[in-house]
Amino acid sequence: DGGITQSPKYLFRKEGQNVTLSCEQNLNHDAMYWYRQDPGQGLRLIYYSQIVNDFQKGDIAEGYSVSREKKESFPLTVTSAQKNPTAFYLCASSPGQGNQYFGPGTRLTVT
Amino acid sequence: GEDVEQSLFLSVREGDSSVINCTYTDSSSTYLYWYKQEPGAGLQLLTYIFSNMDMKQDQRLTVLLNKKDKHLSLRIADTQTGDSAIYFCAVKGGNQGGKLIFGQGTELSVKP
């Protein structure tokens, strides 16, 4: 059963705490992406990785960090430096520069 | 920078056709996509069109591309209540690797 999984579906944290969102894929895709979605806005790219052990900043990388130690995993850490972390976070993967396929998302609420 | 624009809302009656429009600024866009998002879920790839095509049809879905006007549309024939969702237009620029630029999404409401 191939696909992209994100866990957990809902996450609650106190302000000032770092939190890590999980993204795993078994599609053997080289590229993986993290997006943030806010109400009434399109998706904005946080970080992306086109190959293991390499990643690039997207349009809104400040306050976030990632790692890509394994092809199938691309975790995103939301740090305390991110001023407005409450959002819906979506992970995607693609075979190289091919079509992107999305996971189910994680809704993060920081209070 | 590159920009993709969509109207925010569309309301139609069940059985009617829906047309969702999108405009973009990057003339070097290679692939153009339509994604569907149901409440609380991720994005589902509906269809895509390569920039050298004018039209693509897939069952109830028809994509039209006017490259001169940088205008993309998605027509859903015989719209059903299950089609109610947010539809995102996205474009892949020629000089941006695999990166996609998304529109704000159009919320389609289908009334019985």
Side-chain angles (χ1 to χ4, degrees), chain B residues 18-66:
Chain B
S18 308
V19 180
I20 302 171
N21 294 301
C22 171
T23 57
Y24 59 97
T25 57
D26 184 3
S27 57
S28 69
S29 296
T30 54
Y31 285 91
L32 302 100
Y33 298 85
W34 285 104
Y35 284 89
K36 176 183 180 182
Q37 184 181 38
E38 298 186 2
L43 273 66
Q44 173 194 353
L45 178 60
L46 280 180
T47 186
Y48 63 94
I49 190 167
F50 188 53
S51 58
N52 68 354
M53 298 168 66
D54 297 325
M55 184 183 88
K56 181 178 181 181
Q57 187 156 1
D58 184 1
Q59 299 183 338
R60 292 191 298 124
L61 305 179
T62 303
V63 179
L64 294 178
L65 174 60
N66 182 328

Side-chain angles (χ1 to χ4, degrees), chain A residues 40-108:
Chain A
Q41 295 193 38
L43 277 65
R44 292 183 289 169
L45 184 64
I46 305 172
Y47 267 98
Y48 63 105
S49 166
Q50 294 182 314
I51 198 166
V52 175
N53 292 322
D54 189 37
F55 49 82
Q56 288 78 38
K57 292 182 179 180
D59 301 317
I60 55 165
E62 186 175 346
Y64 299 98
S65 66
V66 292
S67 63
R68 186 85 188 277
E69 296 175 3
K70 297 187 295 183
K71 188 176 187 178
E72 58 269 23
S73 178
F74 191 39
L76 173 75
T77 297
V78 184
T79 75
S80 56
Q82 168 49 234
K83 293 187 183 354
N84 297 297
T86 294
F88 191 47
Y89 290 87
L90 287 157
C91 177
S93 70
S94 68
Q97 296 183 15
N99 299 341
Q100 289 185 27
Y101 296 91
F102 283 78
T106 292
R107 186 165 298 281
L108 173 64

